[in-house]
C-alpha cells in the first residue's frame, strides 16, 4: 500500500500523525523559502508543505522538480494550517513532508485539470482519462454508480431478481437497425446485439421468474442525433400477474426512493395524463411540467370574425406566459422568427397582450375588438401583465409547433430549473402509428404491447383508435422510462403481427420461439425500461448524457480515444467468411 | 394485481383469510368427490382444494378442465389441512377455492417440470423457459443474483465504483480471437466486442478513479471446449496505489464475505503457494486442496538400482493414497490404463503397497528390496494400508500426467465434496511462456502484467526465468480469479511489447492510447478478474456452468431456443458493405 490515508481524509483530529499519501500534483505554489503542493486523489485534496526551516535542502530540491499531474508518494506529519480553508474537508491541516518519491512523471496535459477546463469537446474525448480526473466528470460517474446501486438495492428488496440475458442474439429487422456479429463457427450466419432484452424478459416471465430486472447495455445502429449513443444502458424490468396500475405504483416508488436517497428530495405523487391529453395540452407526449403554459383551444372564440387565417384553421391554440406583457416588440419578433424556421414551420405567431391598464392589445386587432379579446383572456385564464401566444393550422402540426414553442419560451425565460424535478406518467398510448412513407401501421412501442382488451375489436375496423396498456414515465420533458402490459396470448400476438404486416413465415422465423413459449402457460405480465444514461444526466442536473458515460462515442459512433472502429486484417475477415464491397 | 399473496407465503396464522392466488398447476389429484391442485409460483407451492360438499358443481366442472402448467387465478379461503406436509413452508394450510379463472392454458410440456426431469440437455435448452421453471435451475439463477448483489455491496462498501466500460471497442489480434462488429457509419471499419475491459480499467486508474469494479459480459470467439461460452461474465476489479499483497487481502476478504453471507461458511486464511511449488507439488497451477496426495519426488531413492525406466527419467514422482492398499489388482489396472490413454500419455504406472503386515509390495519388486521400499515409504510419509503411485519421465510432462492422475483418483474415490471449499492463492507466475508453434514468447497472463522489478534485468538474458506480480485465486481445482500488478511505466510497457515481438507500429496502432495515457501520470495499479459463471457454479455445488446461466449457448455457440446465429438479409449485408465469401 502506498498510503496510510487518502487525500480527502485527514482532519484536525489527526494532528501530529505520521502519514503516507499518494496522488497527483494539482497545484504548486513556490514562494522560494516555502512551497505548497496540493495533492489530489479521487477523495479530495491535501495540502503539502515544504519549508526551508523544517525541510532538508535535498527534499526541497526534489520538490522543485515536481510539475502538474506528477504522481507522487510522500511521508510526513500532519500539522495545523496557518490560514485555514473552510471550502475543503482537509482545510484545517497540511502535511509537513519528510520524504518524497516521484512514482510517475507527467508531460503537460493538453487541457487544465480543473472544474472549468480550457479543453474543447474533441480534446476532452481524446484524453478522456484526463477529463475524468476533473471533479464534474468524476462526480457524474460516481453519481451513476450510486444510482445503479440504489436501483439494484430497491429492486432486490422488492423480490426482483437480476438475470443476465445474452448479448449475442438474433437479428430482427423490425424496429431500429441491429448491429450484427458474424459467427465464425457457423459460417454465413450472424448474431445480433440486443436493442433491448424484450423477448428474453418476457420468456423469463413464462419461465416463472415473476419479477426480473437487469441493468444492461443495449445497441442501436441508428444515424446518431446529437447526444445519442450507439450503445446505451437500460434499467430493464418485468413483472408477472400485474395490471398497469401495479407497475406504475412499483416504479413510481422506485423513482421516489432514488430521489430520496440520492438527492434528499421528496417527490409528490406523480400526475397521470393520457397520451391524448398530453398532446392536447402540451403538444408533446413528454411534457415538461416544471412550468405551466398549458394549451388553450381558442376555436370557439376566434372563428366568428373575418380573420381567414383562423377561420380556415382546424385548430387555433395558444398558451399564456405569465408576465409576458413585458416582452418588447423585438422579443416577440424573435419568437415569431423562431416559429417560422423550417424546423418548426409555423406561418406566423399571433399574440395578445394583457396590458397594465386592463385593455388588450393583439397582433390581430384589425379583426377582433376588446370584447372578443376579453373572451380570449377569460378562456385562457390570462391576467393583467400576461401575454397569450397563438398558433393556428392543421391540428396535429399546430400542436407540435406550439409544443416546441412552449419549450423554447421556457428556455429563454430560464424556467427549466435543473434542480426542480417534475415527473409524470403518460398513459393510454395509441397501439399503432400510421407511417406515411411505408403506408402501413407500425407498433408505437413494439409488437408485444397489449391493446386495451376493450379496444380489441377495433383493430381491424379503426386501427388508429386502438389504445394500448402502454405508459411512459416523463421527467422534465424527457422520456426516462417506458413500458406496457404485454400480450400473453398467442392468438392476440398473431393478430398483432398480421396487423403489422408480418407474413406468417416472417413472424414464425423471427418470433416463433416467443409464440411457442406462449403455448406453455404464459402468465399475464408487463414491464418497463428506463434509460439510465438520461436518468442519471437529469438527476445530475445536466442534460448532456455524454458527460455521464465514462467512455462515450461521438456523433459518428467513434471512440476517438482508442480510435475505434478501425480496419481489421484480411485474415480476420477471411476467418469469418466475409469481404468488404468497398 | 392478480393476487393477494404468492404461493409460498400462507401459513397457519393466515387461517380463514380470504385470499387470491395466481400460478401454475403443478399437480392434480382427483379423487372424484374431492380434488387437490398444487399451485406453483417462484416462491413455493400452495395446495388448493375443491370438494363436493363445499364447492359448487360448476366450479368443480371447471377445475376438471385444468391440466399441468395451466396458469390460473383463484379466490378462496385459507383452511387447515387434514394431513400436513412438513416439507414445504405452506404445508399446514390449503385454500378452499371459491372462484377459478384460467388465465392461460398450456399444451403438454416436452419434459416434466420437476426437480429431476426426463428432459435431455438439447430439449431443455430449446425450451429453456420451461427448464427455468424447475427448482434446481431457478435456484441457480437466484443464487447468481444473490452473489452479484453481495459482490456489489461489498465492493461499494469498500469505496469501489462500478463503471460501465464500452462494449463496442477495438480489435486487438493479441490474445484470443475477437468477435467483430461491422460499423455501417464508418464503412469498412469494425468494432470488436471486449475479451475483457482490461485497457479501460487501466485507463480508469490513470483517470484517478482509484478503485473500480464492474460485473460485465466478455466475449471470446474460441472453438468451444465443453462448458465454455462465447459470452461469459467477469467480476472485473482494479485498484491504484497498491502492491500485490493489498490486492490479495482485499479480494480474499471479498470471497470470505461471500461465503459467509451466501453459504454461512467461514473460510480460513487462504494458503499462498508459488506457481513453481504448485507445479512441483500438484502438477498443476490450479491444485484442488480438498484432498492431499501431494507429490513426492523420488529420484534420490529410486535411481541407485538397475531399473532403467527410473534411471533414465528426469523425474520420478508419486503420491500416497491413504488406505489405497485396499485397491484390487483390477483397480490398479484401471488406473494404469487411464494414465496410458493418449490424452495423458504416460508409459505406465508403478506402485508400492504398504501392506498390513508392515511389508512392502511394489510393481517393481524385481529391482528394489524391502530396505529400498522402506525408504520410499519414509520419504513419502506413507503408512500401513496406503498405496504409493509413481510415474516417471521428462519433468514437465510427468508432473502434468501425475497431476491429472491425482484429480482422477480423487474423482473415483469421491474426494471432491462439492460442499467443501478450499481456496488458495497461486502467486509468482512466469511472465512469459514459450510457444513451440510460433517459436516465440507469449505473455502468460497478458502484455500489461508487471514483471517483478528485481527480475527486470533478466527479460533479455533469460526470459523464462522472469517471474511476474501475477496471481490466481484457485478454488477446488478451478481458477476462479486471476490478476496482476500492471506495468504503469511507458518504457517498461514498450520493452514488454518488444519482447513479445510487437513492432513499434503494431504496438502503437493497438495500444498507443494506453501508452500515451502512461505519459500523463499513471499511478501504480493492479487488479483481478473473477469468472462469475464458474464462481457461481462452484458455490452452487455443481460444476456445469450452463446450469447457472439463464440462456446459455451450446458447444457450437448456438442458442437453440431462439435459433441463433442465423442468416441476415442481403440488404442488411449491403448496408454494412459486406458480402459473404461462401
Amino acid at each position: 500500500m502506498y498510503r496510510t490515508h487518502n487525500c480527502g481524509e485527514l482532519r484536525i483530529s489527526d494532528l501530529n500523525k505520521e502519514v503516507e499519501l499518494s496522488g497527483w500534483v494539482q497545484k504548486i505554489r513556490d514562494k522560494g523559502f516555502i512551497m505548497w503542493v496540493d495533492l489530489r486523489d479521487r477523495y479530495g485534496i491535501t495540502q503539502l508543505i515544504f519549508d526551508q526551516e523544517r525541510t532538508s535542502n535535498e527534499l526541497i530540491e526534489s520538490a522543485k522538480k515536481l510539475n502538474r499531474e506528477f504522481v507522487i508518494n510522500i511521508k510526513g506529519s500532519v500539522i495545523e494550517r496557518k490560514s485555514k480553508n473552510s471550502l475543503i474537508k482537509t482545510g484545517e491541516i497540511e502535511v509537513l513532508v519528510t520524504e518524497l518519491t516521484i512514482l510517475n512523471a507527467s508531460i503537460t496535459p493538453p487541457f487544465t485539470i480543473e472544474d472549468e477546463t480550457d479543453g474543447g469537446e474533441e480534446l476532452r474525448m481524446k484524453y478522456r482519462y484526463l477529463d475524468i480526473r476533473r471533479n464534474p466528470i468524476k462526480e457524474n460517474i460516481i453519481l451513476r454508480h450510486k444510482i445503479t446501486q440504489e436501483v439494484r438495492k430497491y429492486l432486490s428488496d422488492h423480490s426482483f431478481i437480476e438475470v443476465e440475458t445474452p448479448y449475442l442474439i438474433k437479428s430482427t429487422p423490425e424496429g431500429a437497425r441491429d448491429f450484427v456479429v458474424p459467427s465464425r463457427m457457423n459460417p454465413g450466419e450472424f448474431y445480433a446485439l440486443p436493442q433491448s432484452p424484450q423477448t428474453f424478459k418476457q420468456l423469463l416471465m413464462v419461465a416463472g421468474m415473476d419479477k426480473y430486472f437487469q441493468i444492461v447495455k443495449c445497441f442501436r445502429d441508428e444515424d446518431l442525433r446529437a447526444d445519442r449513443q450507439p450503445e446505451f444502458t437500460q434499467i430493464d424490468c418485468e413483472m408477472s400477474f400485474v395490471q398497469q396500475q401495479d407497475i406504475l405504483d412499483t416504479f413510481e416508488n422506485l423513482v421516489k426512493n432514488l430521489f430520496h436517497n440520492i438527492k434528499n428530495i421528496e417527490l409528490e405523487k406523480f400526475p397521470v395524463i393520457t397520451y391524448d391529453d398530453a398532446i392536447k395540452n402540451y403538444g408533446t407526449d413528454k411534457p415538461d411540467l416544471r412550468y405551466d403554459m398549458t394549451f388553450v383551444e381558442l376555436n370557439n372564440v376566434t372563428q366568428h370574425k373575418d380573420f381567414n387565417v383562423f377561420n380556415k384553421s382546424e385548430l387555433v391554440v395558444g398558451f399564456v406566459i405569465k408576465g409576458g406583457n413585458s416582452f418588447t416588440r423585438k422579443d416577440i419578433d424573435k419568437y415569431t422568427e423562431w416559429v417560422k424556421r423550417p424546423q418548426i414551420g409555423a406561418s406566423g405567431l399571433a399574440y395578445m397582450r394583457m396590458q397594465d391598464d386592463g385593455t388588450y392589445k393583439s397582433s390581430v386587432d384589425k379583426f377582433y375588438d376588446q370584447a372578443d379579446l376579453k373572451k380570449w383572456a377569460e378562456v385562457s385564464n390570462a391576467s393583467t401583465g400576461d401575454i397569450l401566444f397563438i398558433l393556428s393550422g392543421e391540428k396535429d402540426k399546430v400542436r407540435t409547433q406550439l409544443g416546441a414553442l412552449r419549450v423554447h419560451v421556457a428556455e429563454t425565460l430560464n424556467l427549466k430549473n435543473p434542480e426542480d424535478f417534475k415527473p409524470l406518467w403518460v398513459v393510454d398510448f395509441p397501439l399503432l402509428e400510421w407511417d406515411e412513407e411505408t403506408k402501413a401501421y407500425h407498433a408505437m412501442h413494439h409488437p408485444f404491447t397489449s391493446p386495451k382488451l376493450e379496444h380489441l375489436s377495433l383493430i381491424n375496423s379503426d386501427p388508429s383508435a386502438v389504445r394500448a396498456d402502454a405508459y411512459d414515465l416523463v421527467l422534465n420533458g424527457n422520456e426516462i422510462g417506458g413500458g406496457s402490459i404485454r400480450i400473453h396470448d398467442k392468438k392476440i400476438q398473431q393478430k398483432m403481427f398480421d396487423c403489422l404486416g408480418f407474413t406468417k413465415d416472417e413472424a414464425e422465423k423471427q418470433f416463433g420461439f416467443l409464440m411457442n413459449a406462449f403455448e406453455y402457460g404464459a402468465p399475464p405480465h408487463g414491464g418497463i425500461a428506463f434509460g439510465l444514461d438520461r436518468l442519471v444526466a437529469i438527476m445530475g442536473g445536466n442534460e448532456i448524457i455524454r458527460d455521464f458515460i465514462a467512455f462515450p462515442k461521438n456523433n459518428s459512433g467513434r471512440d476517438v480515444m482508442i480510435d475505434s472502429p478501425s480496419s481489421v486484417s484480411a485474415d480476420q475477415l477471411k476467418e469469418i467468411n466475409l469481404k468488404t464491397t468497398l
Side-chain angles (χ1 to χ4, degrees), chain A:
Chain A
M1 193 74 82
Y2 288 81
R3 60 192 174 198
T4 55
H5 296 77
N6 67 47
C7 294
E9 206 173 351
L10 292 171
R11 299 284 181 279
I12 195 81
S13 55
D14 295 304
L15 232 52
N16 300 320
K17 272 192 192 153
E18 295 300 313
V19 297
E20 181 176 359
L21 300 178
S22 290
W24 286 262
V25 172
Q26 173 75 26
K27 205 162 70 178
I28 300 167
R29 273 163 304 151
D30 187 353
K31 301 272 178 196
F33 59 97
I34 195 160
M35 189 173 162
W36 288 278
V37 171
D38 278 357
L39 189 66
R40 186 197 70 232
D41 67 11
R42 187 184 108 200
Y43 312 93
I45 282 181
T46 299
Q47 182 167 296
L48 311 179
I49 181 166
F50 304 77
D51 81 43
Q52 280 185 336
E53 281 176 31
R54 293 175 288 182
T55 312
S56 74
N57 280 339
E58 199 189 357
L59 190 53
I60 291 193
E61 277 315 299
S62 43
K64 300 239 184 238
K65 288 184 197 135
L66 296 182
N67 221 324
R68 277 201 293 140
E69 301 307 316
F70 272 43
V71 185
I72 64 172
N73 170 265
I74 64 101
K75 290 180 182 166
S77 51
V78 181
I79 62 175
E80 189 168 358
R81 275 207 212 183
K82 286 233 173 72
S83 62
K84 301 204 165 55
N85 178 351
S86 62
L87 297 177
I88 62 172
K89 292 174 294 175
T90 62
E92 292 191 281
I93 59 93
E94 59 194 354
V95 174
L96 180 68
V97 177
T98 54
E99 277 181 50
L100 165 66
T101 312
I102 295 175
L103 297 173
N104 219 341
S106 172
I107 57 177
T108 306
F111 50 84
T112 55
I113 312 293
E114 305 276 357
D115 290 6
E116 297 288 333
T117 182
D118 55 354
E121 174 80 9
E122 195 73 8
L123 205 57
R124 284 175 49 214
M125 289 302 143
K126 185 165 160 56
Y127 297 92
R128 184 63 162 178
Y129 46 85
L130 299 179
D131 198 29
I132 294 173
R133 287 187 192 166
R134 297 169 52 236
N135 281 322
I137 304 295
K138 180 192 78 180
E139 292 304 333
N140 289 348
I141 289 169
I142 293 176
L143 174 68
R144 187 179 178 111
H145 163 71
K146 284 186 183 157
I147 289 174
T148 56
Q149 279 294 108
E150 280 297 333
V151 168
R152 285 193 162 99
K153 183 174 183 322
Y154 177 89
L155 292 174
S156 297
D157 288 349
H158 288 77
S159 301
F160 286 79
I161 301 292
E162 187 162 24
V163 182
E164 293 175 63
T165 54
Y167 277 81
L168 296 173
I169 65 164
K170 186 171 175 159
S171 188
T172 54
E174 179 69 0
R177 214 181 273 106
D178 285 321
F179 282 106
V180 297
V181 183
S183 167
R184 182 184 53 86
M185 289 179 72
N186 300 277
E189 297 192 320
F190 295 77
Y191 302 100
L193 299 177
Q195 295 184 28
S196 93
Q198 182 63 35
T199 48
F200 288 96
K201 69 176 172 174
Q202 292 193 240
L203 289 172
L204 284 169
M205 294 304 103
V206 177
M209 204 36 78
D210 204 69
K211 293 178 178 176
Y212 144 93
F213 82 102
Q214 189 182 190
I215 299 184
V216 62
K217 274 280 175 76
C218 301
F219 304 85
R220 273 181 211 167
D221 184 12
E222 286 176 331
D223 296 321
L224 301 174
R225 283 181 274 156
D227 215 23
R228 274 256 189 148
Q229 294 282 318
E231 53 177 303
F232 55 98
T233 307
Q234 280 191 357
I235 306 168
D236 193 48
C237 309
E238 198 81 2
M239 303 170 78
S240 289
F241 300 118
V242 288
Q243 280 125 351
Q244 174 170 307
Q245 192 58 45
D246 304 312
I247 295 184
L248 303 196
D249 291 345
T250 303
F251 293 98
E252 180 164 329
N253 281 333
L254 165 66
V255 173
K256 282 179 175 170
N257 186 276
L258 264 187
F259 274 86
H260 173 82
N261 288 339
I262 302 279
K263 298 195 69 83
N264 202 20
I265 288 175
E266 308 305 320
L267 295 177
E268 288 173 19
K269 174 128 194 67
F270 299 0
V272 180
I273 303 181
T274 64
Y275 171 86
D276 290 340
D277 282 348
I279 299 292
K280 193 162 175 275
N281 293 326
Y282 305 102
T284 172
D285 59 1
K286 31 181 189 282
D288 190 338
L289 298 192
R290 284 176 294 181
Y291 43 88
D292 189 359
M293 302 191 277
T294 308
F295 291 5
V296 192
E297 304 203 340
L298 299 164
N299 289 30
N300 287 340
V301 291
T302 56
Q303 293 183 331
H304 59 298
K305 286 295 179 70
D306 279 345
F307 187 41
N308 244 330
V309 174
F310 282 177
N311 291 351
K312 68 174 195 217
S313 289
E314 190 183 3
L315 181 66
V316 182
V317 59
F319 59 75
V320 169
I321 304 162
K322 288 278 141 201
N325 185 36
S326 64
F327 288 171
T328 62
R329 177 72 228 181
K330 209 171 153 193
D331 291 333
I332 295 175
D333 285 349
K334 269 197 200 153
Y335 286 120
T336 309
E337 274 158 41
W338 193 89
V339 295
K340 286 167 88 174
R341 295 179 318 148
Q343 299 96 309
I344 304 298
S347 51
L349 172 67
Y351 66 86
M352 171 180 74
R353 293 174 178 277
M354 265 58 65
Q355 303 186 114
D356 292 342
D357 61 2
T359 63
Y360 307 99
K361 167 144 190 34
S362 89
S363 54
V364 286
D365 277 346
K366 224 198 289 185
F367 302 97
Y368 300 94
D369 57 28
Q370 289 284 312
D372 292 328
L373 298 181
K374 186 159 188 281
K375 280 239 177 71
W376 296 10
E378 276 165 19
V379 170
S380 63
N381 224 350
S383 318
T384 304
D386 296 349
I387 196 166
L388 174 67
F389 276 0
I390 305 170
L391 294 180
S392 66
E394 190 270 309
K395 195 170 66 180
D396 291 348
K397 273 192 195 148
V398 75
R399 281 175 174 157
T400 306
Q401 291 162 353
L402 194 69
L405 177 62
R406 178 176 174 270
V407 173
H408 178 63
V409 168
E411 266 157 15
T412 16
L413 301 184
N414 269 319
L415 301 178
K416 299 175 79 168
N417 174 4
E419 284 304 311
D420 186 17
F421 298 95
K422 286 285 186 289
L424 72 146
W425 291 106
V426 178
V427 300
D428 298 353
F429 274 80
L431 181 70
L432 302 162
E433 188 169 42
W434 178 253
D435 184 44
E436 263 309 317
E437 208 174 306
T438 57
K439 303 279 175 206
Y441 280 104
H442 286 280
M444 192 145 183
H445 275 72
H446 52 57
F448 314 109
T449 301
S450 178
K452 287 185 177 292
L453 293 183
E454 62 273 26
H455 290 187
L456 213 48
S457 57
L458 297 172
I459 282 195
N460 297 319
S461 58
D462 187 5
S464 60
V466 178
R467 290 294 175 266
D469 282 332
Y471 32 81
D472 277 357
L473 182 58
V474 173
L475 179 59
N476 293 3
N478 294 281
E479 180 208 324
I480 59 160
S484 60
I485 297 297
R486 325 297 183 186
I487 298 167
H488 66 280
D489 181 291
K490 185 176 177 174
K491 285 196 210 77
I492 298 180
Q493 188 64 67
Q494 267 165 340
K495 192 165 183 173
M496 188 69 191
F497 284 132
D498 283 354
C499 187
L500 295 171
F502 281 74
T503 66
K504 211 156 181 160
D505 263 12
E506 284 168 346
E508 175 57 33
K509 191 170 174 231
Q510 290 173 37
F511 300 111
F513 61 95
L514 185 66
M515 289 199 287
N516 281 344
F518 284 176
E519 302 224 73
Y520 293 97
H525 62 285
I528 194 166
F530 294 89
L532 178 68
D533 305 299
R534 179 70 60 199
L535 175 65
V536 175
I538 294 175
M539 290 184 74
N542 168 344
E543 298 194 7
I544 301 171
I545 67 169
R546 267 195 309 278
D547 283 348
F548 294 81
I549 296 172
F551 300 104
K553 294 189 172 53
N554 73 10
N555 285 347
S556 324
R558 293 200 72 83
D559 181 327
V560 296
M561 180 184 73
I562 63 172
D563 191 23
S564 166
S566 58
S567 58
V568 298
S569 70
D571 282 354
Q572 262 178 295
L573 280 187
K574 201 174 157 193
E575 271 194 322
I576 51 176
N577 308 294
L578 287 175
K579 62 181 177 188
T580 65
T581 56
L582 295 169

